[in-house]
Amino acid sequence: MEPFKEITAPIVPLPYDNIDTDQIIPARYMKSTQKKGLGKYLFYDWRFDANGNPKKDFVLNQPDITCKILVAGDNFGSGSSREHAPWALQDYGFRVIIASSFADIFKHNALNVGLLPVEVDGDFMDKLLKQNEKNPNSEIHVDLVNQKVEMVGTGDSTNFEINKYKKKCLLHGIDDIDYLMNLTEEITEFENKRKKTKT
C-alpha cells in the first residue's frame, strides 16, 4: 500500500447524495479479484452511453480534469460491501474522497486499501462546491498528519476524524497483514512466555 500524508489538488465535484457502490462500479464488472484495472469501469453507466461513447457532460469526461480528490454528497458508498468500489476509485487515480457522510462498510474498505475518506460538515461542503463553481482549478490541501482540509485560495479549513490505527497504517503505507507481520517478534515472545507459564 502506498503511504499517504498529504495532497494538494483541485476537486472533482460529484455533489449527489446516496451514490451507491453499483453506481461507483456496476456489478457486471466485478468479475475480477484483482485491484488493478478496475478504474476503466468507474462510474461506467454515468460516464458512457449505451454505445460505449463518453457522455460529454459528465464531470470525469471533462478535458484536463485532475482526478485526485472527489467531493460527493451524503451517504457515499452505500449499497453492497464490494471492495471493488474503493479499488476502482483508487485505480482511476483518486486518493481522497470527501463527503458529508459515508456508508460504514465503504469507509472501512476504503481505509483498508489506502483510500482516505474525509467527512466534513454541510457548511464546509457548500464552501468547497461554491469555490469550485467560481474557479474549477482552485486547489484544496488535505493533510492527514494534522487531520485538516484547507481551501488554498481562501484559507478556509476544517478538521476531520480518523481512527488512530488506520491513520498510522495510511501514513506508513501498511495494511492489516503488514501491521501484524511487523509484530512477529512480539507475538513470538508472547507465545514463548505463555508456553513457559503453562508448563
Side-chain angles (χ1 to χ4, degrees):
M1 194 162 81
E2 188 178 340
F4 178 87
K5 291 183 179 175
E6 60 184 344
I7 192 170
T8 300
I11 68 168
V12 175
L14 201 60
Y16 307 116
D17 294 340
N18 304 310
I19 296 176
D20 63 31
T21 51
D22 204 46
Q23 300 305 324
I24 296 170
I25 179 168
R28 63 186 183 276
Y29 297 119
M30 289 175 50
K31 296 172 185 172
S32 174
T33 56
Q34 301 296 316
K35 299 177 184 178
K36 298 292 180 187
L38 295 173
K40 59 180 176 266
Y41 305 123
L42 181 68
F43 297 116
Y44 193 90
D45 291 338
W46 291 0
R47 285 168 57 202
F48 300 100
D49 64 22
N51 297 316
N53 300 310
K55 296 178 182 177
K56 292 181 180 177
D57 59 344
F58 187 62
V59 64
L60 292 188
N61 293 332
Q62 303 308 305
D64 302 324
I65 194 163
T66 301
C67 295
K68 299 291 181 188
I69 304 172
L70 180 71
V71 174
D74 198 38
N75 195 32
F76 185 84
S78 58
S80 78
S81 60
R82 66 189 69 166
E83 286 184 313
H84 298 68
W87 287 347
L89 287 157
Q90 195 175 49
D91 191 57
Y92 201 81
F94 288 106
R95 295 304 314 271
V96 178
I97 310 297
I98 297 176
S100 46
S101 71
F102 291 91
D104 283 344
I105 295 176
F106 174 86
K107 185 175 183 178
H108 290 289
N109 284 343
L111 287 166
N112 286 341
V113 303
L115 181 67
L116 176 62
V118 173
E119 199 167 307
V120 300
D121 64 34
D123 289 340
F124 191 76
M125 178 70 70
D126 289 343
K127 288 179 182 176
L128 281 177
L129 295 172
K130 285 178 182 174
Q131 182 64 23
N132 179 261
E133 284 178 12
K134 288 180 187 173
N135 178 8
N137 294 318
S138 60
E139 294 181 321
I140 67 168
H141 181 70
V142 179
D143 176 354
L144 176 58
V145 174
N146 295 299
Q147 297 176 215
K148 183 177 178 181
V149 179
E150 180 177 3
M151 298 167 63
V152 175
T154 67
D156 287 319
S157 66
T158 190
N159 291 98
F160 61 89
E161 297 296 322
I162 183 170
N163 174 284
K164 287 182 182 178
Y165 164 68
K166 288 302 181 184
K167 178 179 178 179
K168 184 176 181 179
C169 287
L170 279 172
L171 288 172
H172 292 89
I174 57 175
D175 60 20
D176 292 342
I177 301 298
D178 295 326
Y179 182 81
L180 284 175
M181 293 302 291
N182 287 335
L183 296 174
T184 299
E185 284 187 22
E186 287 90 337
I187 292 170
T188 303
E189 185 179 348
F190 174 82
E191 280 298 311
N192 289 337
K193 283 182 181 177
R194 194 175 67 88
K195 285 176 185 173
K196 286 179 182 175
T197 306
K198 279 185 167 181
T199 55

